[in-house]
Amino acid sequence: MQIAHSFLAILAGFITIVGLMGIASALLRRFAPDHTRDDAPPDPLIMAVNVGIGLVCSVLGGYVTARYAQGNPLLHALMLALAVLLLSAISAIQMKGKQPIYYLIISTIIPPLAVLCGGLLRLHQMGLHW
């Protein structure tokens, strides 16, 4: 039963990240269509906005996972961070040549670290200090 609860806590965090990123992407496409086209040249402002959105969504996803985890909340956030790292790396490989390499590296590293920060935020809220 605990494995199922752990899986659901991690899934809740993942759904939080994907859902919020989807909403943010739709809003960007709606309000900045010229900058978000697939054939548009890389725009530093849009890249920075994407990194910022990824950071916020990932912190919230890590927090949600840690909030609903039974046992060690940080361990659950770490599991989510590993999944996010894997998916971010796959995405960066697919985008190779379409985006600058520094952006791909940043967009691969920031989300998993932000997930862990969300887990640490929950620990701090619980009164547990690292």
Side-chain angles (χ1 to χ4, degrees), residues 81-96 104-105 107-109 111-112:
L82 288 173
V84 168
L85 176 63
L86 178 65
L87 293 174
S88 297
I90 291 170
S91 176
I93 290 169
Q94 290 175 340
M95 295 299 291
K96 186 178 175 186
L104 297 176
I105 292 170
S107 64
T108 300
I109 293 172

Side-chain angles (χ1 to χ4, degrees), residues 60-116:
L60 290 171
Y63 179 85
V64 166
T65 294
R67 168 69 180 84
Y68 292 106
Q70 289 179 341
N72 186 347
L74 197 55
L75 180 63
H76 289 80
L78 178 62
M79 297 304 291
L80 177 61
L82 288 173
V84 168
L85 176 63
L86 178 65
L87 293 174
S88 297
I90 291 170
S91 176
I93 290 169
Q94 290 175 340
M95 295 299 291
K96 186 178 175 186
K98 297 178 184 176
Q99 297 289 341
I101 191 71
Y102 69 88
Y103 172 71
L104 297 176
I105 292 170
I106 290 170
S107 64
T108 300
I109 293 172
I110 295 294
L113 292 176
V115 167
L116 289 176

Side-chain angles (χ1 to χ4, degrees), residues 15-103:
I15 290 171
T16 299
I17 295 170
V18 171
L20 292 175
M21 289 290 291
I23 292 168
S25 294
L27 289 172
L28 271 176
R29 284 193 176 98
R30 171 74 170 100
F31 293 109
D34 293 337
H35 298 291
T36 55
R37 292 188 334 259
D38 289 335
D39 62 339
D43 182 356
L45 176 62
I46 295 298
M47 287 189 287
V49 168
N50 280 335
V51 169
I53 290 169
L55 181 116
V56 171
C57 295
S58 296
V59 168
L60 290 171
Y63 179 85
V64 166
T65 294
R67 168 69 180 84
Y68 292 106
Q70 289 179 341
N72 186 347
L74 197 55
L75 180 63
H76 289 80
L78 178 62
M79 297 304 291
L80 177 61
L82 288 173
V84 168
L85 176 63
L86 178 65
L87 293 174
S88 297
I90 291 170
S91 176
I93 290 169
Q94 290 175 340
M95 295 299 291
K96 186 178 175 186
K98 297 178 184 176
Q99 297 289 341
I101 191 71
Y102 69 88
Y103 172 71

